[in-house]
Every structure is written in structure tokens, then in C-alpha cells.
Short mmCIF file of all heavy atoms in Angstrom, two decimals:
data_model
loop_
_atom_site.label_atom_id
_atom_site.label_comp_id
_atom_site.label_asym_id
_atom_site.label_seq_id
_atom_site.Cartn_x
_atom_site.Cartn_y
_atom_site.Cartn_z
N SER P 1 0.83 -1.22 0.00
CA SER P 1 0.00 0.00 0.00
C SER P 1 0.86 1.27 0.00
O SER P 1 0.37 2.35 -0.31
CB SER P 1 -0.92 0.02 1.23
OG SER P 1 -0.16 0.15 2.42
N THR P 2 2.16 1.12 0.31
CA THR P 2 3.07 2.26 0.40
C THR P 2 3.93 2.40 -0.85
O THR P 2 4.24 3.52 -1.28
CB THR P 2 4.01 2.11 1.62
OG1 THR P 2 3.22 1.91 2.79
CG2 THR P 2 4.90 3.32 1.81
N TYR P 3 4.29 1.29 -1.45
CA TYR P 3 5.27 1.28 -2.56
C TYR P 3 4.73 1.98 -3.81
O TYR P 3 3.61 1.75 -4.23
CB TYR P 3 5.65 -0.15 -2.90
CG TYR P 3 6.71 -0.28 -3.98
CD1 TYR P 3 8.05 -0.17 -3.67
CD2 TYR P 3 6.35 -0.49 -5.30
CE1 TYR P 3 9.03 -0.28 -4.64
CE2 TYR P 3 7.31 -0.60 -6.30
CZ TYR P 3 8.65 -0.50 -5.96
OH TYR P 3 9.62 -0.59 -6.95
N ASP P 4 5.56 2.85 -4.38
CA ASP P 4 5.25 3.47 -5.66
C ASP P 4 6.36 3.12 -6.64
O ASP P 4 6.18 2.37 -7.59
CB ASP P 4 5.11 4.98 -5.50
CG ASP P 4 4.77 5.67 -6.81
OD1 ASP P 4 4.30 4.98 -7.73
OD2 ASP P 4 4.97 6.88 -6.92
N LYS P 5 7.55 3.67 -6.39
CA LYS P 5 8.73 3.29 -7.15
C LYS P 5 9.94 3.49 -6.25
O LYS P 5 9.90 4.29 -5.31
CB LYS P 5 8.86 4.11 -8.43
CG LYS P 5 8.87 5.62 -8.23
CD LYS P 5 8.95 6.34 -9.55
CE LYS P 5 8.94 7.86 -9.35
NZ LYS P 5 9.08 8.59 -10.62
N GLY P 6 10.98 2.76 -6.53
CA GLY P 6 12.15 2.80 -5.66
C GLY P 6 12.52 1.40 -5.24
O GLY P 6 12.36 0.44 -6.00
N TYR P 7 13.00 1.26 -4.01
CA TYR P 7 13.44 -0.04 -3.50
C TYR P 7 12.85 -0.30 -2.13
O TYR P 7 12.59 0.62 -1.36
CB TYR P 7 14.97 -0.09 -3.37
CG TYR P 7 15.71 -0.26 -4.68
CD1 TYR P 7 16.03 0.83 -5.47
CD2 TYR P 7 16.08 -1.53 -5.12
CE1 TYR P 7 16.71 0.68 -6.66
CE2 TYR P 7 16.77 -1.69 -6.30
CZ TYR P 7 17.08 -0.59 -7.07
OH TYR P 7 17.75 -0.73 -8.25
N VAL P 8 12.67 -1.58 -1.85
CA VAL P 8 12.33 -2.03 -0.51
C VAL P 8 13.56 -2.73 0.04
O VAL P 8 14.08 -3.67 -0.56
CB VAL P 8 11.13 -3.00 -0.51
CG1 VAL P 8 10.82 -3.45 0.92
CG2 VAL P 8 9.92 -2.35 -1.15
N MET P 9 14.05 -2.26 1.18
CA MET P 9 15.26 -2.80 1.78
C MET P 9 14.89 -3.64 3.00
O MET P 9 14.33 -3.14 3.97
CB MET P 9 16.20 -1.66 2.20
CG MET P 9 17.51 -2.11 2.77
SD MET P 9 18.57 -0.66 3.12
CE MET P 9 20.01 -1.47 3.82
N LEU P 10 15.19 -4.93 2.93
CA LEU P 10 14.92 -5.85 4.04
C LEU P 10 16.20 -6.12 4.81
O LEU P 10 17.27 -6.26 4.21
CB LEU P 10 14.36 -7.18 3.53
CG LEU P 10 12.95 -7.16 2.94
CD1 LEU P 10 12.59 -8.54 2.42
CD2 LEU P 10 11.94 -6.71 3.98
N THR P 11 16.09 -6.25 6.13
CA THR P 11 17.29 -6.44 6.93
C THR P 11 17.11 -7.53 7.99
O THR P 11 17.88 -7.59 8.93
CB THR P 11 17.66 -5.13 7.66
OG1 THR P 11 16.62 -4.81 8.59
CG2 THR P 11 17.85 -3.99 6.69
N ASP P 12 16.11 -8.38 7.87
CA ASP P 12 15.79 -9.26 8.99
C ASP P 12 15.36 -10.64 8.48
O ASP P 12 14.50 -10.76 7.62
CB ASP P 12 14.66 -8.63 9.81
CG ASP P 12 14.59 -9.16 11.22
OD1 ASP P 12 14.65 -10.39 11.39
OD2 ASP P 12 14.47 -8.35 12.16
N TYR P 13 15.96 -11.69 9.06
CA TYR P 13 15.60 -13.05 8.65
C TYR P 13 14.15 -13.39 9.02
O TYR P 13 13.57 -14.35 8.48
CB TYR P 13 16.55 -14.08 9.30
CG TYR P 13 16.28 -14.34 10.76
CD1 TYR P 13 15.47 -15.39 11.17
CD2 TYR P 13 16.84 -13.54 11.75
CE1 TYR P 13 15.22 -15.64 12.50
CE2 TYR P 13 16.59 -13.77 13.08
CZ TYR P 13 15.79 -14.82 13.46
OH TYR P 13 15.54 -15.05 14.79
N ARG P 14 13.56 -12.61 9.90
CA ARG P 14 12.17 -12.86 10.29
C ARG P 14 11.18 -12.35 9.26
O ARG P 14 9.97 -12.52 9.41
CB ARG P 14 11.91 -12.23 11.66
CG ARG P 14 12.71 -12.88 12.77
CD ARG P 14 12.68 -12.10 14.06
NE ARG P 14 13.40 -10.84 13.96
CZ ARG P 14 13.68 -10.06 15.01
NH1 ARG P 14 13.28 -10.43 16.21
NH2 ARG P 14 14.34 -8.93 14.86
N LEU P 15 11.69 -11.75 8.17
CA LEU P 15 10.84 -11.18 7.13
C LEU P 15 11.13 -11.78 5.76
O LEU P 15 10.86 -11.17 4.74
CB LEU P 15 11.03 -9.66 7.08
CG LEU P 15 10.81 -8.91 8.39
CD1 LEU P 15 11.13 -7.43 8.22
CD2 LEU P 15 9.39 -9.08 8.90
N LEU P 16 11.69 -12.98 5.72
CA LEU P 16 12.16 -13.54 4.45
C LEU P 16 11.04 -13.93 3.49
O LEU P 16 11.30 -14.12 2.30
CB LEU P 16 13.05 -14.77 4.72
CG LEU P 16 14.41 -14.46 5.33
CD1 LEU P 16 15.18 -15.75 5.57
CD2 LEU P 16 15.22 -13.53 4.43
N MET P 17 9.81 -14.04 3.96
CA MET P 17 8.72 -14.38 3.05
C MET P 17 8.09 -13.13 2.41
O MET P 17 7.27 -13.24 1.51
CB MET P 17 7.64 -15.19 3.78
CG MET P 17 8.12 -16.57 4.21
SD MET P 17 6.81 -17.60 4.90
CE MET P 17 5.96 -18.08 3.39
N VAL P 18 8.49 -11.97 2.88
CA VAL P 18 7.91 -10.71 2.38
C VAL P 18 8.10 -10.55 0.87
O VAL P 18 7.14 -10.22 0.17
CB VAL P 18 8.49 -9.51 3.15
CG1 VAL P 18 8.20 -8.20 2.43
CG2 VAL P 18 7.91 -9.46 4.57
N PRO P 19 9.32 -10.76 0.31
CA PRO P 19 9.47 -10.57 -1.14
C PRO P 19 8.53 -11.44 -1.96
O PRO P 19 7.90 -10.96 -2.91
CB PRO P 19 10.94 -10.94 -1.38
CG PRO P 19 11.61 -10.67 -0.09
CD PRO P 19 10.61 -11.04 0.96
N LYS P 20 8.43 -12.71 -1.61
CA LYS P 20 7.56 -13.62 -2.36
C LYS P 20 6.11 -13.15 -2.32
O LYS P 20 5.41 -13.14 -3.34
CB LYS P 20 7.67 -15.04 -1.80
CG LYS P 20 6.75 -16.03 -2.49
CD LYS P 20 6.83 -17.40 -1.84
CE LYS P 20 5.85 -18.36 -2.50
NZ LYS P 20 5.87 -19.70 -1.87
N ILE P 21 5.64 -12.75 -1.13
CA ILE P 21 4.26 -12.32 -0.97
C ILE P 21 4.00 -11.04 -1.77
O ILE P 21 2.98 -10.91 -2.46
CB ILE P 21 3.94 -12.10 0.52
CG1 ILE P 21 4.04 -13.43 1.28
CG2 ILE P 21 2.56 -11.49 0.70
CD1 ILE P 21 4.03 -13.28 2.80
N CYS P 22 4.94 -10.09 -1.70
CA CYS P 22 4.76 -8.81 -2.40
C CYS P 22 4.83 -8.97 -3.91
O CYS P 22 4.03 -8.38 -4.64
CB CYS P 22 5.82 -7.81 -1.94
SG CYS P 22 5.58 -7.19 -0.26
N ILE P 23 5.80 -9.75 -4.39
CA ILE P 23 5.99 -9.92 -5.83
C ILE P 23 4.81 -10.63 -6.46
O ILE P 23 4.48 -10.41 -7.63
CB ILE P 23 7.31 -10.67 -6.10
CG1 ILE P 23 8.50 -9.75 -5.77
CG2 ILE P 23 7.40 -11.14 -7.55
CD1 ILE P 23 9.85 -10.44 -5.77
N LYS P 24 4.14 -11.46 -5.70
CA LYS P 24 2.95 -12.15 -6.22
C LYS P 24 1.86 -11.13 -6.59
O LYS P 24 1.13 -11.30 -7.56
CB LYS P 24 2.42 -13.12 -5.16
CG LYS P 24 1.37 -14.09 -5.68
CD LYS P 24 0.92 -15.07 -4.59
CE LYS P 24 2.02 -16.05 -4.27
NZ LYS P 24 1.54 -17.09 -3.31
N THR P 25 1.78 -10.04 -5.82
CA THR P 25 0.79 -8.99 -6.09
C THR P 25 1.34 -7.93 -7.03
O THR P 25 0.64 -7.45 -7.92
CB THR P 25 0.36 -8.31 -4.77
OG1 THR P 25 -0.21 -9.31 -3.91
CG2 THR P 25 -0.66 -7.22 -5.02
N ASN P 26 2.61 -7.57 -6.85
CA ASN P 26 3.25 -6.53 -7.67
C ASN P 26 4.59 -7.05 -8.18
O ASN P 26 5.61 -6.88 -7.52
CB ASN P 26 3.45 -5.25 -6.86
CG ASN P 26 4.07 -4.12 -7.67
OD1 ASN P 26 4.43 -4.30 -8.84
ND2 ASN P 26 4.22 -2.96 -7.06
N PRO P 27 4.61 -7.69 -9.37
CA PRO P 27 5.86 -8.27 -9.90
C PRO P 27 6.96 -7.24 -10.15
O PRO P 27 8.13 -7.61 -10.24
CB PRO P 27 5.42 -8.91 -11.23
CG PRO P 27 3.94 -9.09 -11.11
CD PRO P 27 3.46 -7.94 -10.26
N GLY P 28 6.60 -5.95 -10.21
CA GLY P 28 7.60 -4.92 -10.51
C GLY P 28 8.30 -4.38 -9.28
O GLY P 28 9.22 -3.56 -9.41
N ILE P 29 7.90 -4.82 -8.10
CA ILE P 29 8.49 -4.29 -6.87
C ILE P 29 9.94 -4.73 -6.77
O ILE P 29 10.29 -5.86 -7.12
CB ILE P 29 7.67 -4.72 -5.64
CG1 ILE P 29 8.06 -3.91 -4.41
CG2 ILE P 29 7.80 -6.20 -5.39
CD1 ILE P 29 7.07 -4.08 -3.25
#
């Protein structure tokens, strides 16, 4: 809901499923 353009920076092993979940909805993220 926040992403427009740019990068999402992850820094935590507790969030490793986030890319897969987000890319499924927005392949361009």
C-alpha cells in the first residue's frame, strides 16, 4: 500500500517471506 517506485530494503531473517508475498501482487516491486 506504500510502494510506488524505488526499492524495498529488508534487513531481517524474520521477514524472508515478504518478497515472495509482495511480488505475487506486484511483480515490478
Side-chain angles (χ1 to χ4, degrees):
S1 67
T2 306
Y3 183 84
D4 181 20
K5 55 182 180 178
Y7 284 86
V8 180
M9 183 176 178
L10 291 177
T11 65
D12 201 313
Y13 76 94
R14 294 169 291 189
L15 305 176
L16 290 179
M17 293 187 76
V18 165
K20 177 183 177 182
I21 296 168
C22 288
I23 289 170
K24 192 178 289 186
T25 301
N26 182 356
I29 194 167

